[in-house]
Amino acid sequence: MLGAIVSGTIADRVGRRCAMAISDVFCILGYLLIVFSKNSVWLDLGRLSIGCGIGLLSYVVPVYISEITPKNLRGRFAAVNQLMICCGASLAYALGTCITWRTLAIVGVTPCLLQLVGLLVIPESPRWLAKIGHSGALEEALQKLRGKETDISEEAADIKDFTEKLQHLPQSKMLDLFQKDYIHAVTVGVGLMVLQQFGGVNAICFYASEIFVSAGFSSGNTGMLAMVAVQIPMTALGVLLLDKAGRRPLLMVSAAGTCLGCLLVGLSFLSKEHHWAKDLNVALALTGILIFSGSFSLGMGGIPWVIMSEIFPIHMKGSAGSLVTLVSWLGSWIVSYAFNFLLLWSSYGTFFMFASICGLTVVFVERLVPETKGRTLEEIQASMNSSLAPVSSGINRAA
């Protein structure tokens, strides 16, 4: 949450690349504190540092990807980011069953170092360069991204025109997000993050091993490995479908699947409480968590971050991105903290509550979330903001 609060400001002040580098430094420092920890204070400081880094990284990476990719590939590239997150988390889950936590922390340093090196050779976001008035650097970065033989003049002109239009608007503050012009985008961005977190994803991910044991498994490791095995192919399927099927259909299918998964897990605990067949408990728990994990990986895991990076104009992106990212991690903390207390209150009732929220997500997406597939960022933002509407006609002609 601390990283989220400052994520938009840092990314706007120093650029997307430098913000990612700052995040890597925080994560490396945190992992080293864990590796060499002498007591619990070191562990707490290490986790705090990693949390700040991830809070910053979780905002700036989707934004950077959305700002550098062409409209026909933007969703797929953003989904690949989620696939890589899924692969990394799955690898961590798998390694965690066979190596110590200190060794796992050493492993965690590796991707941070790799990204720091990679940041030296990737271009800065052309849209951020346009925002700070570096037209020459904008065209150089865009040419590098699109290829030497590609004519970028039209795309560069669209970015410059839209950015110039935004320069005439007042500098944004957090409270400005709740003005009439931006309330739809804020409702979509914040709403998706709230529904994503309160649908129970982190409760299931963080406590999956305990859930399997509570449902009747002798050990949580088998179920954990099965969950990992489902997540990666389903995330990969989402990558393939995102720019073909669109954001809205995938979100609704994904939310419906997570609803079914939570219902099955809830039935598993209900079965256990009423002393029905033990095999039924285990089967329902395993099937429910696998359906939930697979469905979440298909859409609800990554698409809210994709949409968040698309719907806010660049002069509002810093404050809006900070708000949305903060809401996401705040929701994660609330659910993770409350989950054990909820289980003591009612184990099956907890998952039925999660299922209801997942069902509500389907309705929310159908009613409020716009389809952004195949549209430039400027077109999307102009369609959701009446003060930018005059720009959209010129962009549509150019497209």
Side-chain angles (χ1 to χ4, degrees):
M1 287 187 283
L2 290 174
I5 290 169
V6 298
S7 59
T9 302
I10 291 175
D12 280 351
R13 292 274 176 86
V14 302
R16 304 345 185 185
R17 285 198 314 168
C18 194
M20 286 187 271
I22 292 170
S23 171
D24 288 327
V25 171
F26 271 109
C27 291
I28 290 170
L29 175 62
Y31 280 122
L32 291 178
L33 283 169
I34 290 173
V35 170
F36 297 107
S37 60
K38 305 295 183 183
N39 52 51
S40 61
V41 174
W42 286 47
L43 290 175
D44 288 337
L45 290 173
R47 288 174 63 82
L48 177 65
S49 183
I50 294 169
C52 289
I54 295 300
L56 172 56
L57 203 63
S58 60
Y59 162 75
V60 72
V61 169
V63 167
Y64 177 75
I65 291 171
S66 73
E67 290 179 352
I68 67 169
T69 48
K71 63 181 181 180
N72 60 315
L73 296 174
R74 189 176 61 245
R76 206 171 302 174
F77 269 81
V80 166
N81 172 50
Q82 184 63 26
L83 175 61
M84 294 298 100
I85 292 172
C86 182
C87 290
S90 299
L91 179 61
Y93 276 127
L95 289 175
T97 63
C98 57
I99 64 175
T100 67
W101 54 266
R102 286 188 195 270
T103 307
L104 194 60
I106 294 172
V107 173
V109 174
T110 307
C112 303
L113 292 174
L114 286 174
Q115 187 176 44
L116 271 178
V117 174
L119 289 172
L120 297 174
V121 296
I122 66 172
E124 182 54 88
S125 160
R127 287 175 170 86
W128 180 78
L129 292 170
K131 179 176 181 287
I132 62 172
H134 291 185
S135 298
L138 178 161
E139 293 178 5
E140 184 181 339
L142 197 59
Q143 193 73 68
K144 187 174 182 180
L145 288 162
R146 301 292 180 261
K148 292 181 179 179
E149 306 303 320
T150 306
D151 182 6
I152 61 161
S153 56
E154 193 171 286
E155 185 178 4
D158 283 346
I159 293 172
K160 289 177 187 176
D161 290 345
F162 193 78
T163 305
E164 286 173 9
K165 169 76 175 178
L166 296 176
Q167 300 298 340
H168 298 297
L169 298 176
Q171 189 64 31
S172 69
K173 299 176 183 177
M174 188 68 74
L175 290 177
D176 294 336
L177 294 174
F178 302 98
Q179 294 177 0
K180 181 182 177 182
D181 285 340
Y182 308 112
I183 196 64
H184 182 199
V186 170
T187 302
V188 170
V190 170
L192 284 175
M193 291 303 176
V194 169
L195 293 167
Q196 180 197 59
Q197 294 300 331
F198 284 87
V201 57
N202 282 320
I204 288 177
C205 287
F206 295 161
Y207 293 99
S209 182
E210 288 85 349
I211 292 169
F212 283 123
V213 172
S214 298
F217 278 78
S218 58
S219 166
N221 286 348
T222 303
M224 291 288 291
L225 292 173
M227 188 175 76
V228 166
V230 167
Q231 285 177 337
I232 295 176
M234 290 302 290
T235 306
L237 179 62
V239 172
L240 296 175
L241 293 177
L242 191 56
D243 278 325
K244 293 181 179 180
R247 281 58 157 164
R248 280 166 48 87
L250 275 184
L251 274 176
M252 288 190 281
V253 169
S254 174
T258 57
C259 178
L260 175 61
C262 286
L263 280 174
L264 292 176
V265 177
L267 288 172
S268 167
F269 281 103
L270 185 64
S271 169
K272 182 182 178 183
E273 189 164 310
H274 287 82
H275 305 291
W276 298 340
K278 181 182 177 182
D279 289 344
L280 179 63
N281 302 348
V282 173
L284 285 172
L286 180 61
T287 304
I289 287 185
L290 293 185
I291 289 175
F292 182 95
S293 299
S295 300
F296 186 84
S297 299
L298 180 67
M300 280 302 294
I303 296 178
W305 293 100
V306 175
I307 292 175
M308 179 276 291
S309 69
E310 295 175 327
I311 59 177
F312 297 112
I314 198 161
H315 75 297
M316 301 295 296
K317 197 165 274 186
S319 51
S322 292
L323 174 65
V324 171
T325 310
L326 173 62
V327 166
S328 175
W329 291 113
L330 177 61
S332 171
W333 176 75
I334 291 171
V335 172
S336 304
Y337 183 80
F339 183 64
N340 279 329
F341 300 107
L342 288 171
L343 281 184
L344 291 174
W345 161 69
S346 172
S347 54
Y348 62 86
T350 299
F351 285 97
F352 289 158
M353 181 178 67
F354 288 154
S356 300
I357 294 171
C358 293
L360 179 63
T361 304
V362 179
V363 178
F364 179 85
V365 172
E366 197 279 328
R367 297 281 177 158
L368 291 174
V369 177
E371 181 55 73
T372 60
K373 178 189 74 169
R375 302 163 72 191
T376 67
L377 296 182
E378 289 74 24
E379 288 172 340
I380 296 164
Q381 292 153 16
S383 71
M384 298 185 74
N385 184 340
S386 58
S387 67
L388 301 177
V391 179
S392 62
S393 58
I395 293 168
N396 286 327
R397 284 197 301 273

